[in-house]
Amino acid sequence: MGFFSFYNMRKPRQFEHKPIYWDPHKEELEERQRKIRIEMGLEEPDEEFKPHIKGTFIEGTKHLKRSVEKGEDARSRKYKSSRLIIALVLLGLIFWYLFWS
């Protein structure tokens, strides 16, 4: 039967992706040709794509959107959280002092 063995442990399968239609020499040649055309002035240089993702996470969540509309930032949220933790610790100490001392 199939008993568990420490000696013949199977290794997990590895992911191997072999691109089918990729020619590195052709890609390198096209890049060099594009750079030469840009230097000669025959082609306009492409602008780097910079995604506008700042604030998109906040737009996707209701509670963060509400806090931004109220004018709160990350610092004020962190301050509120720390105040809550301190208040809970103080209440726990008072409870402990009153009932177990």
Side-chain angles (χ1 to χ4, degrees), residues 5-89:
S5 172
F6 287 106
Y7 302 110
N8 294 331
M9 294 289 291
R10 288 184 57 195
K11 294 182 179 177
R13 288 186 281 172
Q14 299 293 319
F15 177 76
E16 292 182 28
H17 173 64
K18 298 175 185 168
I20 299 172
Y21 303 109
W22 181 59
D23 185 9
H25 301 292
K26 181 180 177 186
E27 189 174 297
E28 185 179 320
L29 177 65
E30 288 174 353
E31 182 64 27
R32 281 188 286 167
Q33 288 175 349
R34 188 183 68 80
K35 286 181 181 179
I36 291 172
R37 283 195 298 269
I38 289 172
E39 287 178 2
M40 293 175 65
L42 301 175
E43 187 176 317
E44 294 291 323
D46 294 336
E47 300 261 340
E48 291 281 329
F49 175 70
K50 294 181 181 176
H52 301 287
I53 61 172
K54 184 175 183 178
T56 55
F57 180 75
I58 291 175
E59 292 173 3
T61 57
K62 292 179 183 176
H63 66 284
L64 289 177
K65 190 185 285 187
R66 269 188 263 132
S67 67
V68 167
E69 288 172 357
K70 290 179 185 176
E72 297 176 352
D73 58 347
R75 177 183 255 175
S76 65
R77 285 191 300 269
K78 191 179 292 186
Y79 179 69
K80 283 183 178 180
S81 298
S82 62
R83 278 194 331 196
L84 177 66
I85 291 171
I86 291 170
L88 288 175
V89 168

